[in-house]
Amino acid sequence: ISPSFSGLISGLPLGTGLSVYFIAYQEGTSFMLEGIPWGIAGLTSSLFFCLTYLLSGNYLKNRNKITAILISSFSSIVAFLLTGWIIHSLHLTVFSSLLLFIIFFIVNLIIIHKLKISRQLPGLKKNSFCKNIFRAILVSLIILCITGTSGIFGTKWAGIFSAFPSTLFPLLILLHFEHNEKLYPSFIKGFSYGISTLAIFYLACFLLLPALGLNLGFLIVYIISALYLFLFNQLKNYFIK
């Protein structure tokens, strides 16, 4: 599996899905549904997060590896929060948030392609127990922070925080640490396409959860998201060689 395709499938609603599910379970489905427009718009913050990490990592590629990872991580989190703060101040509907996301989705793809990310594939190291534990712990901490603070900060921030790339972030750190700048840019490039699946996920949640309930609704939403990602990948491979 290529890094770009792995980045694409990282757009599946794994971390985001868990965040949305537990917020809805903890605070009520209606609470989460109110935040859906800001969740969709929050995907633009995720794009800024990834783009900032990519640009920071590239700028610091000749620096100490740990320093580069720390600065790239810090700057990308700041970018997410700053853009999230702007989004929080907006009056949004599902339609306007989708429009906002689509605009930044296209702009981000243009920027990513202008950066001409190489497809080099270094020898991949096998996943170890320690790596999986690191990813699991970091993802769990992020999701706990998101779900634990949702009731404090309200529906808008709950939606925005749910869009944080909680499963991608630990993977970027590991790839950056093990392969420097050789591999993680391709994952970010793939995620720049796959993130559109999360917009479909949010939209499906908004439309289906009120009628089907949380558990059955989530099952159907995940099926829809997986089908969309499959079809999207087929179209992407057809039009973009």
Side-chain angles (χ1 to χ4, degrees), residues 15-37:
T16 295
L18 287 173
S19 296
V20 169
Y21 181 88
F22 284 118
I23 290 173
Y25 182 82
Q26 179 176 296
E27 304 294 338
T29 302
S30 59
F31 177 92
M32 188 62 239
L33 291 177
E34 286 180 29
I36 289 291

Side-chain angles (χ1 to χ4, degrees), residues 110-203:
I110 293 171
I111 294 172
I112 289 291
H113 279 276
K114 283 187 177 295
L115 292 175
K116 295 181 179 179
I117 295 171
S118 123
R119 294 187 178 182
Q120 57 182 316
L121 185 62
L124 295 176
K125 299 178 182 179
K126 292 183 179 180
N127 278 334
S128 67
F129 179 75
C130 291
K131 292 180 196 175
N132 291 329
I133 288 295
F134 168 79
R135 289 176 61 185
I137 290 175
L138 188 51
V139 170
S140 299
L141 288 174
I142 293 171
I143 292 175
L144 281 173
C145 287
I146 292 171
T147 56
T149 58
S150 59
I152 300 172
F153 292 107
T155 57
K156 293 183 180 181
W157 274 117
I160 294 166
F161 285 144
S162 72
F164 185 84
S166 54
T167 53
L168 180 67
F169 183 35
L171 181 59
L172 293 180
I173 293 175
L174 286 173
L175 293 174
H176 197 168
F177 181 77
E178 293 186 340
H179 302 286
N180 294 317
E181 76 286 353
K182 295 177 181 178
L183 201 54
Y184 74 85
S186 293
F187 275 77
I188 290 177
K189 181 179 180 180
F191 181 74
S192 296
Y193 286 97
I195 195 172
S196 61
T197 309
L198 297 180
I200 298 299
F201 166 79
Y202 279 119
L203 183 60

